[in-house]
Amino acid sequence: MRSKVKIAQKGIEARKRKRLTWAGILWLALALVVFFGLAWLSHLDFMSLSVIDVSGNTRIQSETIRTIANEKLSGNYIGLFSRNNAFLYPRRAIRNAVAALPAAKSVDVDRSWLKKIEINVVEREEDARWCSDGEGDIALDGRDVGCFSVDENGLIFDRSSTRTVIAYRGEPMGEPEGKQVAPSEDFRRMQFFVRELGKLGVDPREVWFKDAGYIDVLLGQGGRLIVNTSDDLSTTLLNLAAVLSDRSIASSTTAFLSSLDYMRLDSGNKVFYKLKP
């Protein structure tokens, strides 16, 4: 009797295992149908992006941005799911790739309906220029061939199309776009110093990088200021202002600067200057 019970139990367990096996197969088949069905759906035309709208850019070519986006949209995920699908497109990858362009300050990518993505670019603004040397910078059409735009943090991001901002000059650095004129904090200090010089009526035009942290500031009247950027530049400005306001030296700031050959502002509170012969 006991042996018959054991045989019956074994039969029941065998049938359970068989049902579980078939249930597993059915669930796996269903999962595969859903998986490959979704992969097929991702390629349907009505869910495929076909328009790339670019806005906010002036320096960066729209076609450059579209090319980057199309490269990221091409192909498939794991060889099956379309990257061009409106719900699956690589938004972050497109944003990061466009943001990697030196002239791009920030980038926003969004989808509009099922056919279009919108890429809005905020570009860097030119706060200064970088020129590798003092010769051959101006082309026949007036464009600064050898000068590049610099943003407020000292990043070189594009060729310059204007000569109305201060120019920083130094040793050539190969392909300069994407490089720093100077560390951001140091550059901002120098830009502050240059702007304050303008408020004093000094008319700075160019800043030449020298050795050991020194710079030469070339003035519109032809003279130059020799400055150690490791000094307290606020104190340097006060010393300069004291000289310019001293009427025993010259009748006016303009008269003094027009006759100035150079002025050294790197000796604490002492100021040394030489007038033109």
Side-chain angles (χ1 to χ4, degrees):
M1 185 71 176
R2 184 175 298 176
S3 61
K4 291 182 179 179
V5 172
K6 288 182 179 179
I7 292 172
Q9 288 178 339
K10 287 181 180 180
I12 293 172
E13 290 175 357
R15 288 193 293 273
K16 284 183 178 179
R17 285 196 297 271
K18 188 174 182 180
R19 286 197 297 269
L20 289 173
T21 300
W22 277 109
I25 292 172
L26 289 173
W27 278 111
L28 178 61
L30 180 61
L32 289 174
V33 169
V34 171
F35 180 80
F36 287 102
L38 291 174
W40 175 76
L41 286 173
S42 73
H43 289 270
L44 293 181
D45 183 67
F46 81 93
M47 287 194 296
S48 297
L49 297 166
S50 59
V51 178
I52 300 173
D53 186 39
V54 180
S55 62
N57 59 306
T58 55
R59 289 177 176 269
I60 306 172
Q61 297 281 337
S62 294
E63 193 54 38
T64 298
I65 297 173
R66 290 193 181 96
T67 298
I68 291 173
N70 281 320
E71 288 176 354
K72 298 300 178 183
L73 290 169
S74 64
N76 303 311
Y77 298 105
I78 63 173
L80 294 171
F81 294 87
S82 174
R83 298 174 67 89
N84 195 43
N85 182 272
F87 298 101
L88 303 176
Y89 78 101
R91 177 176 178 270
R92 181 176 297 180
I94 294 172
R95 183 189 63 197
N96 291 346
V98 176
L101 296 172
K105 185 175 183 179
S106 64
V107 179
D108 183 57
V109 179
D110 206 353
R111 175 173 57 82
S112 178
W113 301 102
L114 296 178
K115 284 291 187 179
K116 182 171 72 173
I117 60 171
E118 298 175 341
I119 303 175
N120 180 260
V121 181
V122 177
E123 295 181 329
R124 300 182 189 276
E125 296 183 3
E126 184 179 66
D127 200 54
R129 291 181 300 150
W130 167 261
C131 309
S132 61
D133 56 48
E135 299 179 358
D137 293 332
I138 309 302
L140 294 177
D141 60 0
R143 181 177 172 82
D144 285 9
V145 176
C147 295
F148 294 79
S149 298
V150 179
D151 75 354
E152 72 276 9
N153 292 312
L155 179 73
I156 302 169
F157 64 90
D158 193 14
R159 285 191 176 275
S160 178
S161 58
T162 179
R163 284 176 282 167
T164 60
V165 294
I166 193 74
Y168 289 82
R169 295 185 183 272
E171 293 295 325
M173 55 173 71
E175 177 53 56
E177 291 185 54
K179 297 180 181 178
Q180 292 282 144
V181 170
S184 295
E185 184 176 347
D186 294 342
F187 180 78
R188 287 193 292 266
R189 287 178 66 245
M190 282 188 281
Q191 276 291 80
F192 167 79
F193 178 73
V194 167
R195 292 194 179 100
E196 292 300 308
L197 289 178
K199 294 177 183 179
L200 292 175
V202 173
D203 189 23
R205 297 292 181 86
E206 297 181 358
V207 175
W208 286 72
F209 286 96
K210 301 295 182 180
D211 294 331
Y214 274 77
I215 57 173
D216 282 359
V217 182
L218 276 60
L219 309 180
Q221 298 88 341
R224 62 190 173 102
L225 307 178
I226 301 170
V227 179
N228 185 349
T229 59
S230 63
D231 291 342
D232 184 341
L233 296 182
S234 296
T235 301
T236 301
L237 287 167
L238 290 174
N239 292 335
L240 175 60
V243 173
L244 296 178
S245 62
D246 190 342
R247 292 295 165 255
S248 66
I249 296 176
S251 59
S252 68
T253 297
T254 302
F256 175 72
L257 292 174
S258 62
S259 62
L260 179 67
D261 183 10
Y262 68 85
M263 180 185 295
R264 299 194 66 96
L265 296 162
D266 60 339
S267 303
N269 288 324
K270 295 181 180 179
V271 176
F272 300 94
Y273 64 87
K274 178 185 176 183
L275 301 179
K276 297 173 185 175

